[in-house]
Amino acid sequence: MSERSVSKQKQEKRWYTVMAPEMFDRAELGETPADEPEQVYDRTIETTLGELQNDPSENNTKLTFQITDVGSDTAYTEFIKHELTRDYLRSLTRRGTSKVDAFVTVLTTDEYRVQVQPVAYTTKSADHSQERAVRKTMVDLVEEAAAERTFEGLVDGIVEGRLSSAIYNEAKTIYPLRRVEIQKTRVEAKPEEVAAEEETAVDVEDGA
């Protein structure tokens, strides 16, 4: 390949402005280069809630988006993951206290399957029965939240801290708590994927 051809290829590389989903006010996430628009699809972009909201106090919340649509010079994303930083979670741990976590897989009203991981930190050491009761409360409230909300509504409640506050207010009546957080949220399947899985399951049952 001649130098001129290489130079021409470099000149043809375009930069696409990456935008957050509507639930995050279409905030600009940055730019990504590509020779062809097709190369941009499925790329992931990581940022923090602090960067999106221009609030350094929210830099402990990491957000991951995936590019799902591309325009002439703009790439559009969908939310795929929320996660608190390890340093922040480590800072919440205290000697002589208990950490109670749970893994909950839920389906929102618009058929998104999402894994949610709440965690509670107690003011002093709890016994196993108290930990089980706190964990059950966390699971129940996450399931209730998903059953009443769309995917966007659930993510908004998690990222803005409303779900963790609701869990804290309910679970603290079981055992004294110092903090409740949603440490991780991850999209497991979109509506079309959930529907395809259900169709496959029906076909298997019919063929049994």
Side-chain angles (χ1 to χ4, degrees):
M1 185 180 291
S2 69
E3 290 184 11
R4 181 175 296 177
S5 298
V6 172
S7 176
K8 186 178 178 183
Q9 276 198 337
K10 287 183 178 178
Q11 290 173 1
E12 288 175 349
K13 189 179 287 290
R14 298 181 61 179
W15 286 85
Y16 295 83
T17 302
V18 184
M19 309 298 288
E22 194 171 325
M23 72 173 81
F24 291 95
D25 300 323
R26 294 289 188 199
E28 189 174 319
L29 298 174
E31 292 184 316
T32 187
D35 295 319
E36 300 290 340
E38 292 74 19
Q39 297 173 347
V40 181
Y41 283 89
D42 296 329
R43 289 182 182 177
T44 56
I45 308 293
E46 289 188 1
T47 187
T48 68
L49 185 61
E51 289 173 343
L52 283 185
Q53 298 182 345
N54 196 26
D55 181 0
S57 69
E58 298 289 353
N59 282 341
N60 294 318
T61 301
K62 297 191 296 182
L63 302 170
T64 304
F65 303 93
Q66 187 172 46
I67 296 173
T68 56
D69 193 19
V70 181
S72 59
D73 58 1
T74 306
Y76 302 95
T77 63
E78 292 183 2
F79 167 90
I80 59 170
K81 188 169 69 173
H82 143 277
E83 189 173 15
L84 298 181
T85 63
R86 291 181 181 178
D87 287 347
Y88 174 66
L89 291 171
R90 197 178 297 120
S91 73
L92 297 177
T93 304
R94 300 282 189 277
R95 186 174 298 176
T97 66
S98 297
K99 172 187 172 185
V100 184
D101 50 17
F103 297 80
V104 196
T105 300
V106 294
L107 202 63
T108 62
T109 59
D110 49 354
E111 300 290 305
Y112 279 82
R113 188 167 69 236
V114 185
Q115 187 187 88
V116 183
Q117 298 180 23
V119 59
Y121 298 86
T122 64
T123 58
K124 51 189 177 180
S125 184
D127 63 32
H128 291 310
S129 64
Q130 291 162 333
E131 289 183 5
R132 280 197 302 271
V134 170
R135 184 175 292 108
K136 183 179 185 305
T137 297
M138 292 196 296
V139 171
D140 289 348
L141 289 179
V142 171
E143 290 177 342
E144 287 175 16
E148 297 170 353
R149 291 171 175 80
T150 62
F151 170 66
E152 184 173 329
L154 180 65
V155 171
D156 187 63
I158 289 171
V159 172
E160 295 298 327
R162 292 191 297 276
L163 181 55
S164 56
S165 293
I167 294 172
Y168 174 83
N169 289 331
E170 184 76 21
K172 71 178 182 180
T173 63
I174 299 169
Y175 196 81
L177 300 180
R178 186 164 46 80
R179 189 85 178 177
V180 171
E181 295 281 7
I182 306 299
Q183 61 180 335
K184 189 174 183 179
T185 309
R186 182 171 61 86
V187 177
E188 288 195 346
K190 298 176 184 178
E192 60 272 19
E193 296 168 329
V194 172
E197 288 174 5
E198 290 175 351
E199 285 181 13
T200 303
V202 169
D203 289 344
V204 170
E205 289 175 7
D206 289 345

Short mmCIF file of all heavy atoms in Angstrom, two decimals, residues 40-72:
data_model
loop_
_atom_site.label_atom_id
_atom_site.label_comp_id
_atom_site.label_asym_id
_atom_site.label_seq_id
_atom_site.Cartn_x
_atom_site.Cartn_y
_atom_site.Cartn_z
N VAL A 40 -18.45 1.36 15.00
CA VAL A 40 -18.76 2.04 16.27
C VAL A 40 -19.74 1.23 17.11
O VAL A 40 -19.73 1.29 18.34
CB VAL A 40 -19.33 3.45 15.98
CG1 VAL A 40 -19.65 4.18 17.27
CG2 VAL A 40 -18.34 4.26 15.14
N TYR A 41 -20.60 0.44 16.44
CA TYR A 41 -21.61 -0.32 17.16
C TYR A 41 -20.99 -1.25 18.21
O TYR A 41 -19.94 -1.84 18.00
CB TYR A 41 -22.44 -1.16 16.19
CG TYR A 41 -23.46 -0.36 15.42
CD1 TYR A 41 -23.14 0.23 14.21
CD2 TYR A 41 -24.76 -0.18 15.91
CE1 TYR A 41 -24.08 0.97 13.49
CE2 TYR A 41 -25.69 0.56 15.22
CZ TYR A 41 -25.36 1.13 14.00
OH TYR A 41 -26.29 1.87 13.31
N ASP A 42 -21.66 -1.33 19.37
CA ASP A 42 -21.31 -2.23 20.48
C ASP A 42 -20.09 -1.77 21.29
O ASP A 42 -19.72 -2.43 22.27
CB ASP A 42 -21.08 -3.68 20.01
CG ASP A 42 -22.35 -4.29 19.43
OD1 ASP A 42 -23.44 -3.90 19.89
OD2 ASP A 42 -22.25 -5.14 18.54
N ARG A 43 -19.46 -0.67 20.91
CA ARG A 43 -18.39 -0.15 21.76
C ARG A 43 -18.98 0.31 23.10
O ARG A 43 -20.11 0.80 23.16
CB ARG A 43 -17.68 1.02 21.10
CG ARG A 43 -16.81 0.64 19.92
CD ARG A 43 -16.09 1.83 19.33
NE ARG A 43 -15.30 1.46 18.16
CZ ARG A 43 -14.61 2.31 17.41
NH1 ARG A 43 -14.61 3.61 17.71
NH2 ARG A 43 -13.93 1.89 16.36
N THR A 44 -18.21 0.13 24.16
CA THR A 44 -18.68 0.57 25.48
C THR A 44 -17.92 1.81 25.94
O THR A 44 -16.74 1.97 25.65
CB THR A 44 -18.52 -0.55 26.53
OG1 THR A 44 -17.15 -0.97 26.57
CG2 THR A 44 -19.41 -1.74 26.20
N ILE A 45 -18.64 2.65 26.64
CA ILE A 45 -18.09 3.89 27.17
C ILE A 45 -18.31 3.92 28.67
O ILE A 45 -19.43 3.71 29.15
CB ILE A 45 -18.79 5.12 26.55
CG1 ILE A 45 -18.78 5.05 25.01
CG2 ILE A 45 -18.15 6.41 27.05
CD1 ILE A 45 -17.42 5.16 24.39
N GLU A 46 -17.25 4.14 29.44
CA GLU A 46 -17.36 4.24 30.90
C GLU A 46 -17.18 5.68 31.34
O GLU A 46 -16.33 6.41 30.80
CB GLU A 46 -16.31 3.35 31.57
CG GLU A 46 -16.57 1.87 31.44
CD GLU A 46 -15.62 1.03 32.27
OE1 GLU A 46 -14.77 1.63 32.99
OE2 GLU A 46 -15.72 -0.20 32.24
N THR A 47 -17.98 6.08 32.31
CA THR A 47 -17.85 7.41 32.89
C THR A 47 -18.31 7.33 34.35
O THR A 47 -18.55 6.24 34.86
CB THR A 47 -18.69 8.45 32.10
OG1 THR A 47 -18.41 9.76 32.60
CG2 THR A 47 -20.18 8.16 32.21
N THR A 48 -18.40 8.46 35.02
CA THR A 48 -18.93 8.48 36.38
C THR A 48 -20.15 9.39 36.42
O THR A 48 -20.32 10.27 35.58
CB THR A 48 -17.89 8.99 37.39
OG1 THR A 48 -17.64 10.38 37.15
CG2 THR A 48 -16.60 8.19 37.31
N LEU A 49 -20.98 9.16 37.41
CA LEU A 49 -22.14 10.02 37.60
C LEU A 49 -21.68 11.45 37.89
O LEU A 49 -22.32 12.41 37.46
CB LEU A 49 -23.00 9.51 38.75
CG LEU A 49 -24.32 10.24 39.00
CD1 LEU A 49 -25.23 10.16 37.78
CD2 LEU A 49 -25.03 9.66 40.23
N GLY A 50 -20.54 11.58 38.54
CA GLY A 50 -19.99 12.90 38.84
C GLY A 50 -19.65 13.68 37.59
O GLY A 50 -19.91 14.89 37.50
N GLU A 51 -19.08 12.98 36.59
CA GLU A 51 -18.75 13.65 35.33
C GLU A 51 -20.01 14.06 34.58
O GLU A 51 -20.06 15.14 33.98
CB GLU A 51 -17.89 12.72 34.47
CG GLU A 51 -16.48 12.54 35.03
CD GLU A 51 -15.68 11.49 34.26
OE1 GLU A 51 -16.30 10.70 33.53
OE2 GLU A 51 -14.45 11.47 34.40
N LEU A 52 -21.03 13.22 34.61
CA LEU A 52 -22.27 13.54 33.92
C LEU A 52 -22.99 14.73 34.56
O LEU A 52 -23.58 15.56 33.87
CB LEU A 52 -23.22 12.33 33.92
CG LEU A 52 -22.92 11.20 32.93
CD1 LEU A 52 -24.02 10.16 32.97
CD2 LEU A 52 -22.74 11.72 31.52
N GLN A 53 -22.95 14.79 35.90
CA GLN A 53 -23.68 15.83 36.61
C GLN A 53 -22.79 16.99 37.06
O GLN A 53 -23.27 17.89 37.74
CB GLN A 53 -24.38 15.21 37.83
CG GLN A 53 -25.42 14.16 37.47
CD GLN A 53 -26.15 13.61 38.68
OE1 GLN A 53 -25.72 13.78 39.82
NE2 GLN A 53 -27.26 12.94 38.44
N ASN A 54 -21.51 16.93 36.68
CA ASN A 54 -20.55 17.95 37.10
C ASN A 54 -20.54 18.11 38.62
O ASN A 54 -20.57 19.21 39.16
CB ASN A 54 -20.86 19.30 36.43
CG ASN A 54 -19.69 20.27 36.52
OD1 ASN A 54 -18.53 19.85 36.63
ND2 ASN A 54 -19.98 21.55 36.51
N ASP A 55 -20.51 16.94 39.30
CA ASP A 55 -20.55 16.90 40.76
C ASP A 55 -19.52 15.89 41.26
O ASP A 55 -19.76 14.68 41.24
CB ASP A 55 -21.95 16.50 41.22
CG ASP A 55 -22.08 16.46 42.75
OD1 ASP A 55 -21.09 16.74 43.45
OD2 ASP A 55 -23.19 16.13 43.23
N PRO A 56 -18.33 16.34 41.69
CA PRO A 56 -17.26 15.43 42.11
C PRO A 56 -17.66 14.47 43.23
O PRO A 56 -17.07 13.39 43.35
CB PRO A 56 -16.16 16.39 42.59
CG PRO A 56 -16.43 17.67 41.86
CD PRO A 56 -17.92 17.76 41.75
N SER A 57 -18.66 14.83 44.03
CA SER A 57 -19.08 13.95 45.12
C SER A 57 -19.71 12.66 44.60
O SER A 57 -19.88 11.69 45.35
CB SER A 57 -20.07 14.68 46.04
OG SER A 57 -21.30 14.90 45.39
N GLU A 58 -20.08 12.63 43.31
CA GLU A 58 -20.70 11.44 42.73
C GLU A 58 -19.72 10.61 41.89
O GLU A 58 -20.12 9.73 41.14
CB GLU A 58 -21.89 11.86 41.84
CG GLU A 58 -23.01 12.56 42.56
CD GLU A 58 -23.80 11.61 43.46
OE1 GLU A 58 -23.55 10.39 43.41
OE2 GLU A 58 -24.67 12.10 44.20
N ASN A 59 -18.42 10.88 42.04
CA ASN A 59 -17.43 10.15 41.25
C ASN A 59 -17.25 8.70 41.71
O ASN A 59 -16.54 7.93 41.07
CB ASN A 59 -16.08 10.87 41.27
CG ASN A 59 -16.05 12.06 40.33
OD1 ASN A 59 -16.87 12.17 39.42
ND2 ASN A 59 -15.12 12.98 40.55
N ASN A 60 -17.88 8.32 42.83
CA ASN A 60 -17.82 6.93 43.29
C ASN A 60 -18.77 6.03 42.51
O ASN A 60 -18.72 4.81 42.67
CB ASN A 60 -18.17 6.85 44.79
CG ASN A 60 -17.14 7.55 45.66
OD1 ASN A 60 -15.94 7.41 45.42
ND2 ASN A 60 -17.58 8.29 46.66
N THR A 61 -19.63 6.62 41.71
CA THR A 61 -20.60 5.85 40.93
C THR A 61 -20.15 5.76 39.48
O THR A 61 -20.09 6.76 38.77
CB THR A 61 -22.00 6.50 41.00
OG1 THR A 61 -22.42 6.58 42.36
CG2 THR A 61 -23.01 5.70 40.20
N LYS A 62 -19.80 4.54 39.05
CA LYS A 62 -19.36 4.32 37.67
C LYS A 62 -20.54 3.87 36.81
O LYS A 62 -21.37 3.08 37.26
CB LYS A 62 -18.25 3.26 37.63
CG LYS A 62 -16.99 3.65 38.36
CD LYS A 62 -15.86 2.68 38.05
CE LYS A 62 -16.17 1.28 38.57
NZ LYS A 62 -15.04 0.34 38.30
N LEU A 63 -20.60 4.38 35.59
CA LEU A 63 -21.67 4.03 34.66
C LEU A 63 -21.05 3.53 33.36
O LEU A 63 -20.06 4.08 32.89
CB LEU A 63 -22.55 5.24 34.37
CG LEU A 63 -23.22 5.91 35.58
CD1 LEU A 63 -23.85 7.24 35.17
CD2 LEU A 63 -24.27 5.00 36.19
N THR A 64 -21.64 2.49 32.80
CA THR A 64 -21.17 1.95 31.52
C THR A 64 -22.32 1.97 30.52
O THR A 64 -23.43 1.55 30.82
CB THR A 64 -20.66 0.51 31.68
OG1 THR A 64 -19.64 0.47 32.69
CG2 THR A 64 -20.07 -0.01 30.37
N PHE A 65 -22.02 2.48 29.33
CA PHE A 65 -22.99 2.56 28.25
C PHE A 65 -22.46 1.83 27.03
O PHE A 65 -21.25 1.74 26.82
CB PHE A 65 -23.27 4.03 27.88
CG PHE A 65 -23.75 4.87 29.03
CD1 PHE A 65 -22.86 5.61 29.81
CD2 PHE A 65 -25.10 4.91 29.35
CE1 PHE A 65 -23.30 6.37 30.87
CE2 PHE A 65 -25.56 5.69 30.41
CZ PHE A 65 -24.66 6.42 31.17
N GLN A 66 -23.39 1.33 26.20
CA GLN A 66 -23.00 0.64 24.97
C GLN A 66 -23.64 1.32 23.77
O GLN A 66 -24.82 1.67 23.79
CB GLN A 66 -23.45 -0.82 25.01
CG GLN A 66 -22.95 -1.65 23.84
CD GLN A 66 -23.26 -3.12 24.03
OE1 GLN A 66 -24.37 -3.49 24.38
NE2 GLN A 66 -22.27 -3.97 23.79
N ILE A 67 -22.84 1.53 22.73
CA ILE A 67 -23.34 2.19 21.52
C ILE A 67 -24.25 1.23 20.75
O ILE A 67 -23.85 0.11 20.41
CB ILE A 67 -22.18 2.66 20.63
CG1 ILE A 67 -21.35 3.73 21.37
CG2 ILE A 67 -22.70 3.21 19.30
CD1 ILE A 67 -20.09 4.15 20.64
N THR A 68 -25.48 1.69 20.50
CA THR A 68 -26.47 0.85 19.81
C THR A 68 -27.00 1.48 18.52
O THR A 68 -27.69 0.83 17.75
CB THR A 68 -27.67 0.58 20.74
OG1 THR A 68 -28.21 1.83 21.18
CG2 THR A 68 -27.25 -0.24 21.94
N ASP A 69 -26.67 2.75 18.27
CA ASP A 69 -27.16 3.41 17.06
C ASP A 69 -26.15 4.49 16.66
O ASP A 69 -25.53 5.12 17.52
CB ASP A 69 -28.53 4.04 17.31
CG ASP A 69 -29.22 4.48 16.02
OD1 ASP A 69 -28.83 3.99 14.94
OD2 ASP A 69 -30.15 5.30 16.10
N VAL A 70 -26.01 4.70 15.37
CA VAL A 70 -25.03 5.67 14.87
C VAL A 70 -25.67 6.55 13.81
O VAL A 70 -26.30 6.05 12.86
CB VAL A 70 -23.79 4.96 14.27
CG1 VAL A 70 -22.77 5.98 13.78
CG2 VAL A 70 -23.15 4.04 15.30
N GLY A 71 -25.51 7.87 13.97
CA GLY A 71 -25.98 8.82 12.97
C GLY A 71 -24.81 9.30 12.13
O GLY A 71 -23.76 8.67 12.09
N SER A 72 -24.96 10.43 11.47
CA SER A 72 -23.91 10.92 10.57
C SER A 72 -22.61 11.22 11.32
O SER A 72 -21.52 10.89 10.85
CB SER A 72 -24.39 12.17 9.84
OG SER A 72 -24.75 13.18 10.77
#
